[in-house]
Amino acid sequence: QVQLVESGGGLVQPGGSLRLSCAASTSPFSIEPMGWYRQAPGKHRELVAHDTLRGITNYADSVKDRFTISRDDAKKSLYLQMDSLKPEDTAVYYCNRLSRYWPWGQGTQVTVSS
């Protein structure tokens, strides 16, 4: 059973930065296109950034130019650098592959508030 463990969330003021990490127990990790998702209260989970394995990354319009997805296959880890955070970025953030989802981890809470 694959396990995903997200970390790095917290409370940050608008304009601040956070770096999220996701550790996966699966092997090989390097062949899996991966994404970061978020779910705000009362809203559906949405894909905000993903990595297609061919050096191509894509972002939702709402986070473009502010968030950066990266990965370290040797560490079986996925990262999300979040800059210029806004209150509307407040959500629980999850990582997972892009289809045939693994069991969801517990996520990491990001709260952007002054």
Side-chain angles (χ1 to χ4, degrees):
Q1 184 82 324
V2 176
Q3 287 188 316
L4 299 168
V5 179
E6 300 91 352
S7 62
L11 173 63
V12 63
Q13 292 188 341
S17 297
L18 284 173
R19 186 178 189 240
L20 306 184
S21 298
C22 165
S25 65
T26 188
S27 184
F29 177 77
S30 60
I31 64 171
E32 299 289 351
M34 294 290 295
W36 280 99
Y37 303 77
R38 69 184 181 188
Q39 186 167 19
K43 295 188 176 181
H44 295 297
R45 189 173 293 164
E46 63 171 338
L47 177 65
V48 296
H50 68 273
D51 179 332
T52 63
L53 292 182
R54 290 171 285 185
I56 298 172
T57 56
N58 288 285
Y59 300 90
D61 287 343
S62 58
V63 307
K64 198 170 295 183
D65 299 325
R66 299 188 298 119
F67 289 11
T68 304
I69 188 172
S70 62
R71 62 194 294 157
D72 185 334
D73 290 335
K75 295 183 178 179
K76 293 188 286 186
S77 293
L78 188 74
Y79 305 101
L80 187 68
Q81 177 67 40
M82 306 188 297
D83 299 316
S84 303
L85 282 161
K86 304 176 180 180
E88 51 264 45
D89 295 320
T90 295
V92 180
Y93 284 72
Y94 304 86
C95 65
N96 213 315
R97 56 185 181 179
L98 301 185
S99 62
R100 298 176 292 115
Y101 301 130
W102 290 318
W104 294 91
Q106 83 288 350
T108 186
Q109 175 71 49
V110 172
T111 303
V112 185
S113 175
S114 54

